[in-house]
């Protein structure tokens, strides 16, 4: 990010300052939010705070109109009720207390001017770490880096109020509102469908179920096939000790360029699959070739925005589900894709129960812990070209940033955009994990390229570290922006 003058917009409640209760009636948090908040509470009590944030940056051409951006940011926060929520523990349950939109104010704060990118980077990392606290409102920070002929806007959020799919919505709404105000028009004043309504519906449907509920059958069968373990293990060596958390490595790497990604997609369609299935098939084969099992077992986040009207709402609309399929030796690309498709279809047919609820009912001992018990196999895929505002991503250059204080395993996210296919991984910073993940990246890149070139797995892919060390920056963020 080019250096410049940093300005921030800090949210406050006018009702709180006046000593009034303000807001509306308390609402109940979602299962995801309740677990996230509980971990933050317990970590604080143990003086072992956990922290994480999801951020997005995007570009504004020309000198920034600070008044217009102020108006757009306030309109954006007003539209999404979850961003106006204070969370507090009441009688054991986590309650959300929304602040009324007309009781919000934004203060513009001139922070500092930076002449070097490195100084700006360090400032932003520390700013996000220190300003975002799960246990206190507001749960996000907003600012911009101003220059004479451009500006970079940034918003960073605690996970409790958003997910990765919320980031394109943030960019589209703030940019569109800014442009509307610059034209002398008002941003869309209508409130977005509220994540709090989603959370209420979720609790009504699933709070009363017990471990004998028939809707848990898919989970129970998955657990039984895994030897009784709720969490599917990451099958490669990461060098982590049980019960210990580690600082993280956070890397973003290209797998395919735009042309290769198009050919890869055609190869997937040719065997009646989708691109994400092709990537998952490649992941499974690479893990198997490195000594993992022939049957792939992992967790996969699934968006729940398709239900009802939450497509363009900010919130944590994610259910995490187990998926299992055959990727044993001797199977070609089409055969593995057939297994992936069957496994995914079976998984989608059992989305009923929220992940956190299944975890609480079927693995109560692990549920009581503050982290997953060991390295867990995890796969996520998003096609950013299908997100709101994607037709202007080349102009806005939105960039996702994900950070976590510590980890005891490895998680990978895959993103498709106009530039191609990318992999972002967060994993424990151990020598073994660095070797394993470096080798996995190189093997996976070669595998997806083989599929693009030849439509199948041409030869076994050895999982060996690359000859040259992977370059890492001090910031270690996931950056998937289109470049000039």
């Amino acid at each position: 990010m080019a250096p410049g003058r940093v300005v921030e917009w800090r949210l406050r409640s006018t009702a709180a300052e006046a000593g009034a209760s303000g807001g509306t009636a308390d609402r109940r948090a979602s299962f995801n939010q309740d677990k996230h908040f509980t971990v933050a509470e317990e970590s604080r009590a143990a003086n072992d705070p956990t922290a994480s944030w999801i951020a997005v940056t995007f570009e504004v051409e020309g000198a920034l109109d600070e008044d217009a951006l102020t108006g757009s940011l306030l309109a954006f926060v007003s539209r999404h009720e979850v961003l106006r929520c204070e969370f507090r523990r009441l009688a054991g349950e986590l309650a959300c207390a929304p602040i009324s939109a007309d009781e919000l104010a934004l203060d513009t704060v001139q922070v500092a001017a930076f002449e070097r990118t490195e100084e700006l980077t360090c400032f932003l990392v520390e700013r996000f770490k220190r300003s975002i606290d799960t246990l206190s409102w507001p749960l996000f920070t907003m600012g911009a880096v101003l220059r004479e002929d451009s500006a970079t806007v940034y918003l960073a959020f605690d996970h409790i109020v958003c997910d990765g799919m919320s980031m394109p919505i943030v960019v589209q709404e703030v940019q569109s509102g800014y442009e509307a105000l610059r034209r002398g028009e008002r941003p869309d004043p209508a409130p977005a469908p509220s994540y709090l309504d989603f959370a209420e519906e979720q609790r009504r449907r699933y709070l009363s179920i017990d471990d004998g509920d028939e809707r848990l059958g898919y989970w129970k069968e998955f657990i039984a096939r895994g030897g009784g373990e709720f969490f599917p293990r990451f099958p490669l060596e990461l060098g982590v000790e049980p019960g210990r958390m580690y600082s993280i490595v956070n890397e973003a790497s290209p797998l395919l360029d735009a042309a290769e990604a198009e050919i890869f997609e055609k190869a997937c369609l040719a065997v009646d699959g989708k691109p994400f299935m092709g990537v998952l098939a490649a992941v499974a084969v690479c893990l198997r070739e490195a000594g993992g099992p022939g049957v792939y077992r992992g967790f996969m986040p699934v968006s729940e925005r398709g239900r009802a009207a939450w497509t363009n709402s900010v919130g944590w609309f994610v259910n995490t589900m187990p998926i299992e399929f055959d990727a044993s030796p001797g199977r070609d690309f089409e055969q593995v894709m057939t297994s992936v498709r069957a496994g995914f279809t079976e998984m989608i047919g059992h989305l009923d129960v929220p992940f956190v609820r299944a975890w609480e009912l079927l693995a109560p001992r692990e549920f009581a812990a503050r982290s997953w018990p060991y390295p867990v196999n995890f796969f996520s895929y998003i096609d950013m070209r299908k997100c709101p505002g994607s037709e202007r991503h080349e102009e806005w250059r939105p960039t996702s940033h994900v950070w976590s204080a510590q980890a005891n395993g490895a998680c990978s996210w895959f993103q498709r955009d106009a530039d191609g296919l990318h992999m972002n991984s967060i994993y424990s910073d151990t020598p073994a994990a660095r070797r394993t993940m470096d080798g996995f990246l190189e093997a996976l890149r070669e595998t997806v390229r083989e599929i693009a070139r030849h439509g199948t797995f041409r030869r076994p892919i050895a999982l060996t570290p690359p000859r040259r060390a992977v370059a890492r920056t001090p910031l270690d963020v996931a950056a998937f922006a289109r470049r000039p």
Side-chain angles (χ1 to χ4, degrees):
M1 188 185 299
R5 177 170 60 90
V6 173
V7 178
E8 290 195 338
W9 287 265
R10 297 179 184 172
L11 197 64
R12 58 184 172 86
S13 165
T14 57
E17 292 172 355
S21 58
T24 57
D26 284 351
R27 312 281 297 277
R28 291 185 297 179
S30 70
F31 294 112
N32 280 341
Q33 289 175 323
D34 199 333
K35 178 60 178 174
H36 184 81
F37 192 89
T38 299
V39 168
E41 288 179 313
E42 294 174 348
S43 299
R44 182 73 55 84
N47 197 29
D48 181 26
T50 60
S52 62
W53 45 258
I54 303 172
V56 67
T57 61
F58 54 89
E59 303 302 311
V60 175
E61 294 184 357
L64 185 72
D65 184 332
E66 293 186 37
D67 290 340
L69 185 56
T70 301
S72 180
L73 291 171
L74 187 57
F76 163 70
V77 174
S78 298
R79 270 179 50 79
H80 297 279
E81 189 176 29
V82 70
L83 300 179
R84 298 185 270 110
C85 281
E86 295 182 276
F87 292 88
R88 54 197 180 197
R89 187 72 64 184
L90 295 176
E93 284 198 340
L94 182 63
C96 307
I99 298 169
S100 297
D102 59 4
E103 295 170 351
L104 293 177
L106 275 183
D107 294 327
T108 304
V109 180
Q110 305 295 328
V111 178
F114 295 89
E115 297 182 355
R116 298 174 59 245
T117 291
E118 293 77 9
E119 294 173 344
L120 173 62
T121 293
C122 291
F123 165 78
L124 290 177
V125 171
E126 288 303 312
R127 178 75 180 116
F128 294 171
K129 288 180 186 178
R130 297 178 185 276
S131 65
I132 300 172
D133 179 1
T134 303
L135 304 183
S136 63
W137 183 87
L139 292 151
F140 54 97
T141 187
M142 304 178 287
V145 183
L146 278 59
R147 310 171 199 98
E148 288 186 4
D149 56 356
S150 69
T152 303
V153 180
Y154 60 83
L155 295 94
F157 303 82
D158 190 284
H159 202 345
I160 201 169
V161 295
C162 72
D163 55 18
M165 290 294 290
S166 296
M167 296 301 99
I169 296 169
V170 174
V171 176
Q172 194 273 334
E173 285 200 12
V174 175
Q175 283 276 27
S176 297
Y178 175 77
E179 292 171 356
L181 287 164
R182 293 271 289 172
R183 293 191 303 266
E185 303 169 4
R186 289 182 61 197
D188 184 0
S194 177
Y195 178 72
L196 274 62
D197 293 334
F198 172 89
E200 286 280 0
E201 177 190 324
Q202 188 184 69
R203 288 217 168 239
R204 282 196 303 270
R205 296 178 64 185
Y206 303 110
L207 187 60
S208 63
I209 68 172
D210 58 26
D211 59 5
D213 194 287
E214 61 181 13
R215 289 170 290 184
L216 290 167
Y218 175 76
W219 274 98
K220 290 179 179 179
E221 292 172 5
F222 180 84
I223 293 168
R225 290 192 296 269
E229 292 185 335
F230 181 85
F231 292 92
R233 291 179 181 264
F234 184 75
L236 306 184
E237 179 57 47
L238 297 175
V240 298
E241 299 176 8
R244 180 180 170 186
M245 300 295 286
Y246 297 79
S247 59
I248 67 162
V249 176
N250 189 342
E251 295 175 334
S253 305
L255 295 176
L256 299 172
D257 64 25
E260 291 171 326
E262 288 293 330
I263 300 172
F264 178 84
E265 179 173 354
K266 291 177 180 178
C268 295
L269 295 174
V271 293
D272 198 24
K274 297 182 178 180
F276 82 86
M277 294 179 180
V279 177
L280 183 52
V283 167
V285 168
C286 287
L287 292 177
R288 185 202 71 206
E289 289 293 317
V295 174
Y296 178 92
R297 292 170 50 82
F299 277 168
M300 184 173 181
V302 181
S303 174
E304 297 185 295
R305 294 173 181 277
R307 291 171 43 199
W310 291 292
T311 303
N312 294 316
S313 296
V314 170
W316 195 347
F317 296 94
V318 176
N319 196 8
T320 301
M321 294 293 294
I323 185 170
E324 185 176 36
F325 59 87
D326 188 358
S328 55
R331 297 171 69 87
D332 62 19
F333 180 58
E334 183 174 4
Q335 291 171 320
V336 176
M337 283 287 276
T338 299
S339 295
V340 174
R341 187 171 60 251
F344 181 76
T345 301
E346 180 71 10
M347 181 192 78
I348 290 296
H350 298 88
L351 284 178
D352 274 6
V353 181
F355 166 72
V356 172
R357 195 75 181 110
W359 181 9
E360 182 179 14
L361 291 170
L362 300 180
R365 183 174 179 178
E366 289 87 350
F367 186 78
R370 297 201 301 271
S371 65
W372 291 0
Y374 42 75
V376 173
N377 203 15
F378 180 90
F379 173 92
S380 175
Y381 180 100
I382 298 176
D383 190 337
M384 304 305 290
R385 302 170 306 161
K386 298 178 180 179
C387 295
S390 61
E391 69 280 359
R392 298 190 63 186
H393 281 181
E394 183 171 1
E395 174 188 355
W396 294 341
R397 301 198 297 280
T399 307
S400 301
H401 308 263
V402 181
W403 180 84
S404 180
Q406 51 189 357
N408 65 347
C411 286
S412 294
W413 296 264
F414 298 87
Q415 287 195 347
R416 173 86 180 274
D417 63 17
D419 281 337
L421 177 68
H422 317 265
M423 182 176 97
N424 176 223
S425 295
I426 287 180
Y427 56 90
S428 300
D429 189 4
T430 68
R434 284 183 178 266
R435 288 192 300 271
T436 293
M437 296 305 291
D438 285 352
F440 176 70
L441 169 64
E442 293 302 309
L444 182 61
R445 181 182 287 125
E446 183 60 26
T447 301
V448 293
R449 286 177 176 171
E450 286 284 312
I451 294 169
R453 292 170 187 150
H454 307 290
T456 190
F457 312 122
R458 295 266 294 181
R459 54 188 172 79
I461 304 298
L463 191 72
T464 55
R467 292 186 178 90
R468 291 184 296 177
V470 175
R472 299 182 177 89
T473 64
L475 182 56
D476 274 336
V477 297
F480 303 129
R482 283 187 59 80
R483 301 301 179 189

